[in-house]
């Protein structure tokens, strides 16, 4: 071998977002002039620079190159010891490659970002936002969650109350808000609250939200009811205090009774006056304005009678139409669905595990139409490429045999996934994202929901789904 190398130091430490330098000494132990090429290899190669990249040495001389490591402050810079290596290739002896190895320790750092989706929820008895917690550090994060508000006017149900998040991943926490006092009448009122993500040894990360509490009954109804009660009370008071002046005339009739001459049995009975002639007094009969002349053969059509218009056979069938047909044939749980595919429009509905969408044709799904029977209804919400969980998108729900639509056909970003649940039992799903494989079938816990689709950090469009109730 005509080459000797040494790393100084062999082990180094660096903070993510900072840099450190290690020297590599190279000695030409051969008897001819040689030129050496240096190339970083291994997992740290993208963050390693070598200066200079080539070194020309005379026999018996020594040269030095500098290795600079600059790991980014991202979850990709894994905390702890990380081996690295540099491939040294002699020009005159290309087969005599030397790969000196060292160790670089990347220090851990923690960074958590929390986002409330949506930041403002509205309701009469409850609100159901979601909290997305992203781990942007390079170590696992264990955190607990709590909520508070001014005046203790709300109660909170947080599921789960504790989370463990791997580097570069996110956790979704469901929050149910309930006002401690129901507002029966009046306009809506706003109640601010705060969610705190607490980690050991660090300041809590707080996210502010607003719960808009609506009155159960509109304010005008209370005003109207009050006026009606006031009018009723006034009427009763007038009725009780009013005393009409009644004068009896019963004594006057006997005095005049002797003046009445009785009718004898032979007196003729006068006949009733003749009834008026209806033909003279009745108004002239108007012609039927709704009637219209019909051509001979009546009704139109080829040899058909009747004249009623038939329903347009080209009208598209929805998922609710399909699930009603299944429910009419017998009992059981069913789920039907159809996809709005870019460039193709709405597909025909399919049911109970069949495939919807276009797999491998680079045509994203922009909207989904879902309907169920036998599950007590369905709840769902959509996630979009780049935008992910869009602020302001509430959970949508529909009862048994009713249509539910999620997604946005007119959005600039197609769907990348969705969350779904049913109140009674569970729902199973498979999803296919662009340039991937079908994910293994996943079934949600009873009354809970899971996310189906591409990982949000990959921004892949959704192209196919299979659902089963």
């Amino acid at each position: 071998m005509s080459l000797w190398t040494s790393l100084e130091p062999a082990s180094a430490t660096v903070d993510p977002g900072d840099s450190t330098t290690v020297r590599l000494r190279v000695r030409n132990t051969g008897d001819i002039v040689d030129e050496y090429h240096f190339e970083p290899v291994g997992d740290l190669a993208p963050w390693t620079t070598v200066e200079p990249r080539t070194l020309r040495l005379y026999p018996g001389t020594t040269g030095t190159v500098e290795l600079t490591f600059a790991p980014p402050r991202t979850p990709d810079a894994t905390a702890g010891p990380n081996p690295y290596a540099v491939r040294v290739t002699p020009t005159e002896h290309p087969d005599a490659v030397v790969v000196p190895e060292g160790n670089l320790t990347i220090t851990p750092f923690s960074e958590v970002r929390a986002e409330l989706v949506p930041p403002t929820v509205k309701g009469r008895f409850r609100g159901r936002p979601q909290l997305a917690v992203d781990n942007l550090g390079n170590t696992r994060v264990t955190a607990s969650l709590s909520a508070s508000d001014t005046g203790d006017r709300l109660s909170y149900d947080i599921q789960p109350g504790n989370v463990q998040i791997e580097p570069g991943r996110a956790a979704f926490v469901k929050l149910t808000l309930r006002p401690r006092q129901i507002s029966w009448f009046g306009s809506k009122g706003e109640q601010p609250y705060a969610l705190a993500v607490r980690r050991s040894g660090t300041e809590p990360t707080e996210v502010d939200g607003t719960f808009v509490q609506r009155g159960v009954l509109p304010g005008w109804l209370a005003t109207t009811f009050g006026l009606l009660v006031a009018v009723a009370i006034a009427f009763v008071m007038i009725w009780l205090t009013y005393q009409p002046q009644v004068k009896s005339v019963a004594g006057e009739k006997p005095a005049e009774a002797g003046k009445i001459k009785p009718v004898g049995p032979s007196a003729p009975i006068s006949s009733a006056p003749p009834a008026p002639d209806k033909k003279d007094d009745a108004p002239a009969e108007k012609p039927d304005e709704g009637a219209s002349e019909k051509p001979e053969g009546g009704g139109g059509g080829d040899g058909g009678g009747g004249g009623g218009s038939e329903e347009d056979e080209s009208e598209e069938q929805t998922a609710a139409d399909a699930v009603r047909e299944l429910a009419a044939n017998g009992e059981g749980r069913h789920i039907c669905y159809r996809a709005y595919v870019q460039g193709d429009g709405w597909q025909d509905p399919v049911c109970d595990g069949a495939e919807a969408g276009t797999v491998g044709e680079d045509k994203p799904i922009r909207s989904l139409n879902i309907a169920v029977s036998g599950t007590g209804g369905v709840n769902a919400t959509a996630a979009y490429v780049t935008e992910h969980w869009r602020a302001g998108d509430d959970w949508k729900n529909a009862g048994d045999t009713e249509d539910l639509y999620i997604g946005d056909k007119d959005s600039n970003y197609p769907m990348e996934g969705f969350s779904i649940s049913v109140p009674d039992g569970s729902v199973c799903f498979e999803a296919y994202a662009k340039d991937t494989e079908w994910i293994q079938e996943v079934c949600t816990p009873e009354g809970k929901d899971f996310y189906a689709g591409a990982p949000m950090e990959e921004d892949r469009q959704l192209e196919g789904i299979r659902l089963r109730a």
Side-chain angles (χ1 to χ4, degrees):
M1 180 178 294
S2 61
L3 177 65
W4 171 86
T5 61
S6 174
L7 286 169
E8 298 176 356
S11 298
T13 301
V14 65
D15 296 328
D18 203 349
S19 63
T20 188
T21 300
V22 173
R23 291 182 178 180
L24 174 62
R25 296 182 62 195
V26 181
R27 182 179 180 83
N28 184 357
T29 59
D31 53 3
I32 61 173
V33 178
D34 207 343
E35 186 176 57
Y36 303 95
H37 298 271
F38 303 91
E39 179 185 5
V41 294
D43 294 338
L44 300 185
W47 311 325
T48 307
T49 57
V50 181
E51 189 64 33
R53 298 301 295 266
T54 61
L55 191 64
R56 186 177 180 86
L57 297 176
Y58 288 92
T61 61
T62 302
T64 302
V65 297
E66 290 188 347
L67 309 178
T68 302
F69 303 97
R73 191 177 175 85
T74 65
D76 297 331
T78 306
N82 292 269
Y84 69 89
V86 179
R87 182 186 292 118
V88 184
T89 306
T91 302
E92 299 298 330
H93 303 282
D95 295 334
V97 176
V98 176
V99 184
E101 297 181 354
N103 187 69
L104 180 69
T105 300
I106 300 178
T107 60
F109 77 96
S110 179
E111 184 175 348
V112 172
R113 181 177 64 190
E115 180 181 5
L116 198 60
V117 182
T120 300
V121 291
K122 302 177 182 180
R124 294 179 174 84
F125 303 103
R126 67 180 62 87
R128 292 176 177 173
Q130 276 192 332
L131 180 68
V133 184
D134 296 294
N135 182 5
L136 304 180
N138 62 354
T139 58
R140 176 188 294 178
V141 167
T142 300
S144 62
L145 298 105
S146 61
S148 61
D149 63 271
T150 305
D152 195 23
R153 298 180 181 179
L154 301 174
S155 64
Y156 308 90
D157 182 16
I158 304 175
Q159 296 293 337
N162 297 278
V163 292
Q164 282 191 346
I165 313 172
E166 297 296 331
R169 308 295 293 179
F172 294 91
V173 180
K174 291 185 177 181
L175 174 65
T176 302
L177 309 171
R178 290 186 175 88
R180 298 189 184 277
Q181 292 185 352
I182 304 300
S183 176
W184 294 103
F185 296 97
S187 59
K188 59 186 179 183
E190 294 186 355
Q191 176 60 47
Y193 66 95
L195 285 175
V197 181
R198 303 182 183 276
R199 296 169 290 146
S200 177
T202 62
E203 291 294 327
T205 301
E206 292 192 351
V207 182
D208 295 328
T210 303
F211 175 65
V212 179
Q213 184 179 3
R214 296 171 173 172
V216 177
L217 300 174
W220 62 264
L221 187 60
T223 303
T224 303
F225 181 75
L227 291 175
L228 292 176
V229 171
V231 170
I233 293 175
F235 178 78
V236 171
M237 295 299 295
I238 293 173
W239 177 267
L240 294 177
T241 57
Y242 176 69
Q243 296 181 356
Q245 299 294 328
V246 180
K247 181 179 181 180
S248 176
V249 293
E252 300 176 359
K253 292 298 182 181
E256 299 177 357
K259 301 180 181 179
I260 300 175
K261 184 177 181 179
V263 179
S266 60
I269 300 174
S270 60
S271 59
D277 189 356
K278 294 182 179 180
K279 293 183 179 181
D280 297 334
D281 298 337
E285 185 175 358
K286 296 182 179 180
D288 186 4
E289 295 177 359
S292 61
E293 294 184 356
K294 297 182 179 180
E296 295 183 3
D302 296 335
S309 62
E310 298 180 355
E311 294 182 1
D312 184 4
E313 295 181 356
S314 65
E315 183 179 356
E316 63 185 16
Q317 185 185 32
T318 68
D321 297 330
V323 84
R324 290 190 194 107
E325 293 179 3
L326 292 177
N329 294 331
E331 298 181 354
R333 296 159 56 90
H334 300 285
I335 182 168
C336 295
Y337 43 94
R338 60 176 182 150
Y340 186 94
V341 178
Q342 180 173 312
D344 294 346
W346 283 111
Q347 295 181 330
D348 292 333
V350 296
C351 303
D352 299 334
E355 180 180 314
T358 56
V359 174
E361 298 184 16
D362 197 19
K363 295 181 179 180
I365 293 176
R366 288 193 167 271
S367 182
L368 290 174
N369 172 209
I370 306 171
V372 298
S373 67
T375 66
V378 61
N379 311 302
T381 185
Y384 303 86
V385 171
T386 302
E387 292 184 324
H388 309 315
W389 300 113
R390 183 184 296 174
D393 278 0
D394 295 331
W395 276 81
K396 298 182 179 179
N397 46 60
D400 273 2
T401 70
E402 295 180 357
D403 279 314
L404 182 144
Y405 291 88
I406 60 174
D408 187 351
K409 296 184 294 183
D410 301 323
S411 172
N412 293 329
Y413 304 102
M415 290 178 59
E416 70 176 355
F418 58 95
S419 290
I420 187 170
S421 67
V422 294
D424 185 7
S426 64
V427 58
C428 302
F429 55 78
E430 298 175 81
Y432 181 93
K434 180 180 179 181
D435 298 331
T436 60
E437 300 292 336
W438 282 98
I439 65 169
Q440 185 177 2
E441 183 180 64
V442 177
C443 297
T444 65
E446 181 172 358
K448 304 293 183 180
D449 68 272
F450 278 161
Y451 170 76
M456 292 190 179
E457 64 270 15
E458 296 183 3
D459 285 331
R460 297 180 184 270
Q461 63 192 26
L462 184 66
E463 295 185 355
I465 64 165
R466 298 170 182 157
L467 301 178
R468 181 168 58 84

